[in-house]
Each structure stands twice: as structure tokens, then as C-alpha cells.
Amino acid sequence: MIPARRWRPTTWAAVGGADLLVVLLAAPGSTGLVLTLVVLALVVLTGWALWRPGGWGALALVVAQVWAAVATRPAPVTPVEWALVVAVATGVLVTHLSLALLAAWPPGAGLPRPTAARWGRQVGALALGGGLAAVVAAVASSTPLGWEVRLGAVAVLLLGVVTVQLAVAARD
């Protein structure tokens, strides 16, 4: 068993890291007032979600992260922009997984090692899927129009690979 004093702060850090990624994505495309509102909303909602991870706070935080990432930036074009967007999307998914783990285990409970290993595999599969999506998106944004069919096939293949990884990670 992993003691609660070790695994809970790790999940809190994962949620905070995702918030930081959202702010980094939102900062260049936002005015000072909008960025202040985004940061304030994320701080309040993160506190609410970590206080009651099984309640509405978790949903509100995930929605706010997605809203802040989408509403403050134009569509990505360069490979760096795609990589940042995919990192934020992966961060939002990690927020969801972290809050689900916090909601499933009481505050003082130790976390069984198999559960921690399964959670780690799921996060790893999502990060790998996000990285593959970033590569496909970056290539798609810089290729001639005639390549869409091939890139679509590659994207579907990669989606299948990630789906299999997640299914294996969930089954263990």
C-alpha cells in the first residue's frame, strides 16, 4: 500500500500541473483581464475540486480547463502550437484521472500498488496518444492538401493503438 500522504499530493500536483499548462497556453493570446479571470477561475475551481473530488467541482474544473484552452487561442498552426495544445489536452485528461482516483479512495486510505500501477499505465497511454496526435497534427498542418486521406488513415491507426493500450491498462 502506498500511504495517503504520498499518493494524494502526487495527484494534487498533477491537477496543478494541468492548470499551469492551461495558463501557459492561454497567456499569449489573452489580455491582462482575461488572463486574470482564467487564473482566478482555475484557482477557485481547483480548490473546490480537490476539496470535493467526487462532486460538481471536478466537472467544473475540467470544463474550465477546456474552456480556457479553447476560448483564449486561435486554432493551432505550427508544430509547437500543436504540441502545446496536445499537452494541455493530455493535462485535462490527467486532471480527470487524478480527480477520479481522489474520489474513489477516502482521504486517509492507502492506495494499493496495483491500482497505482494501473493509473500510471493509463496516464502513460494518454500521454503517448497525445504525443502521437501532436505529430499527426503537425504533419497535417504542413503537408499538401492531397495527403489528407493518408494522414486520416494514420490518425485512425494511431487511435486504434491508443484504444488497445487503454483497454490493456484498464484490464490489468
Side-chain angles (χ1 to χ4, degrees):
M1 295 289 263
I2 301 170
R5 68 181 179 281
R6 283 193 35 224
W7 74 265
R8 291 184 74 83
T10 302
T11 56
W12 299 338
V15 173
D19 284 346
L20 182 61
L21 282 172
V22 169
V23 170
L24 289 175
L25 179 69
S30 301
T31 63
L33 177 63
V34 171
L35 187 59
T36 302
L37 290 174
V38 165
V39 170
L40 183 63
L42 289 176
V43 166
V44 168
L45 293 173
T46 299
W48 184 23
L50 291 176
W51 179 56
R52 305 281 274 186
W56 287 99
L59 175 64
L61 177 60
V62 169
V63 168
Q65 286 178 336
V66 171
W67 169 82
V70 171
T72 58
R73 298 279 301 188
V77 177
T78 67
V80 172
E81 290 173 342
W82 275 110
L84 189 55
V85 166
V86 169
V88 168
T90 303
V92 170
L93 293 171
V94 168
T95 295
H96 168 68
L97 285 174
S98 297
L99 292 172
L101 191 64
L102 286 168
W105 295 93
L111 187 67
R113 292 203 185 276
T115 300
R118 183 173 53 248
W119 185 82
R121 285 191 302 272
Q122 290 171 343
V123 169
L126 288 171
L128 177 63
L132 294 174
V135 169
V136 170
V139 170
S141 65
S142 63
T143 58
L145 292 178
W147 286 36
E148 297 112 2
V149 175
R150 292 178 193 92
L151 287 173
V154 169
V156 169
L157 176 68
L158 293 176
L159 180 62
V161 168
V162 172
T163 302
V164 167
Q165 286 178 331
L166 286 173
V168 168
R171 191 174 17 154
D172 291 342

